Amino acid sequence: MAHTNESVVSEFVLLGLSNSRELQLFFFALFSIVYVTSVLGNIMIIVIISSDSHLNSPMYFLLSNLSFIDICQSNFATPKMLVDFFIEHKTISFDGCMAQIFLLHSFVGSEMILLVAMAYDRFIAICKPLHYSTIMNQRLCIIFVLISWAVGILHSVSHLAFTVDLPFCGPNEVDSFFCDLPLVIELACMDTYEMEIMTLTNSGLISLSCFLALIISYAIILITVRRRSSSGSVKALSTLTAHITVVILFFGPCIYFYIWPFSRLSVDKFLSVFYTVCTPLLNPIIYSLRNEDVKSAMQKLRNRHVNSWKI
């Protein structure tokens, strides 16, 4: 049962993406491929970075942690969504729903802070190259990772602390494939206007502040790179392009949801799919395709395994 005397809802009904049997089978095939590729791709990045001494640098340490967060994000709702394509009555328990809300906001909050840390790493590497090894030491990198998880968890707990005690006494249909916080809040048997404002303020502050910090950092870096003309600058620009692409694709849907969190359009459900299912795939695709160091390390790892099989 739920957690207050007023609450009588013990489970929520997930309406999913579509009622069409044909569409559900198509979505199952499509998102199964995306899910498996995302998880294996991020695992591959972690293995490549940990096995190649040339990638033993702060940027790749942060990148491997970003891959770990993406693996976690891939698993908080997608496996259940895939199973639910074959279930007519899709339900999730009250506790399971609260767990999904907690996990999603923890992972998203952590990833935002980690992207800022990666931007700071590139800022120091390009704008203060002589001081890079002194500033970006292993201790600072570990601190960045710990801060990212702490902020993500605190951000999530601040949402959950108010949501878990809301009175849910009747409507229990969530028009999505997972427990999306704004949709769950709307089901409460009370005026949720203040809750909606608090949710918007909490999520909006962290997403917009991180996004602005990233925009300012990359603007300064791009100006610095343009003033130089060398092969190193070309390589830096290629790396920056990958970082900026991830930032835009990650924060685009995020900011959209936080600007209009409680007004639902038909496109919102599919943006939710992109945000929760497809976003974790961005990291391995963009960094492996655009990063020469990662591609070189991948080739060496493959050659090593091929040679070991021949022996």
Side-chain angles (χ1 to χ4, degrees):
M1 293 293 290
H3 295 264
T4 68
N5 293 330
E6 295 177 83
S7 296
V8 295
V9 171
S10 60
E11 65 179 17
F12 293 96
V13 177
L14 303 174
L15 299 184
L17 297 177
S18 172
N19 292 323
S20 167
R21 185 64 181 166
E22 291 76 17
L23 269 178
Q24 289 191 62
L25 290 174
F26 170 74
F27 286 147
F28 172 79
L30 175 63
F31 296 137
S32 293
I33 294 170
V34 172
Y35 170 69
V36 171
T37 306
S38 174
V39 172
L40 293 180
N42 280 293
I43 290 174
M44 180 187 68
I45 284 186
I46 294 173
V47 170
I48 288 170
I49 291 174
S50 60
S51 63
D52 195 309
S53 59
H54 293 96
L55 301 182
N56 185 21
S57 69
M59 184 181 82
Y60 293 109
F61 174 78
L62 296 174
L63 177 57
S64 63
N65 279 277
L66 186 66
S67 286
F68 177 74
I69 293 176
D70 282 338
I71 292 169
C72 294
Q73 189 172 330
S74 295
N75 285 284
F76 94 95
T78 306
K80 176 170 173 52
M81 177 189 71
L82 295 175
V83 172
D84 281 350
F85 282 131
F86 298 97
I87 299 174
E88 186 174 347
H89 189 62
K90 306 169 179 60
T91 61
I92 184 170
S93 68
F94 183 93
D95 291 338
C97 185
M98 295 301 113
Q100 281 194 343
I101 292 172
F102 172 77
L103 292 173
L104 174 63
H105 287 273
S106 293
F107 300 146
V108 171
S110 298
E111 186 152 346
M112 287 181 185
I113 302 300
L114 203 55
L115 287 171
V116 173
M118 292 174 74
Y120 178 76
D121 170 76
R122 292 300 85 201
F123 173 81
I124 299 298
I126 293 169
C127 300
K128 298 178 181 291
L130 298 178
H131 304 284
Y132 180 75
S133 58
T134 305
I135 298 174
M136 290 302 299
N137 52 48
Q138 187 179 16
R139 180 172 173 272
L140 182 61
C141 290
I142 292 172
I143 289 173
F144 276 146
V145 172
L146 293 176
I147 289 175
S148 72
W149 279 105
V151 171
I153 291 171
L154 286 173
H155 167 64
S156 187
V157 167
S158 66
H159 280 310
L160 207 61
F162 298 100
T163 307
V164 73
D165 286 326
L166 287 175
F168 297 100
C169 55
N172 68 338
E173 291 187 342
V174 179
D175 189 16
S176 185
F177 64 94
F178 71 101
C179 281
D180 197 0
L181 179 62
L183 295 179
V184 173
I185 289 175
E186 287 179 341
L187 298 176
C189 302
M190 60 175 284
D191 182 6
T192 58
Y193 177 76
E194 290 185 3
M195 271 288 298
E196 292 173 8
I197 295 299
M198 287 173 60
T199 301
L200 177 61
T201 303
N202 184 352
S203 298
L205 277 176
I206 186 172
S207 59
L208 287 175
S209 58
C210 287
F211 186 66
L212 288 174
L214 288 165
I215 291 296
I216 293 169
S217 298
Y218 285 125
I220 295 172
I221 294 170
L222 287 171
I223 291 169
T224 305
V225 169
R226 285 195 65 181
R227 288 176 180 169
R228 302 173 185 171
S229 56
S230 64
S231 59
S233 295
V234 173
K235 182 179 177 181
L237 190 60
S238 176
T239 303
L240 284 176
T241 305
H243 283 237
I244 293 169
T245 303
V246 170
V247 167
I248 291 171
L249 292 174
F250 179 82
F251 278 91
C254 179
I255 291 173
Y256 170 81
F257 284 128
Y258 290 152
I259 291 175
W260 296 286
F262 296 94
S263 60
R264 290 285 160 173
L265 304 173
S266 58
V267 72
D268 292 0
K269 191 180 291 189
F270 294 96
L271 277 176
S272 295
V273 173
F274 175 80
Y275 194 58
T276 56
V277 181
C278 302
T279 297
L281 188 59
L282 297 177
N283 190 7
I285 286 181
I286 293 173
Y287 284 110
S288 62
L289 292 180
R290 295 199 59 87
N291 191 299
E292 293 299 327
D293 291 335
V294 172
K295 285 194 286 187
S296 174
M298 197 184 308
Q299 184 66 41
K300 282 193 288 185
L301 185 64
R302 186 167 56 194
N303 292 340
R304 194 186 312 162
H305 281 281
V306 168
N307 293 332
S308 64
W309 275 106
K310 286 180 179 179
I311 294 172

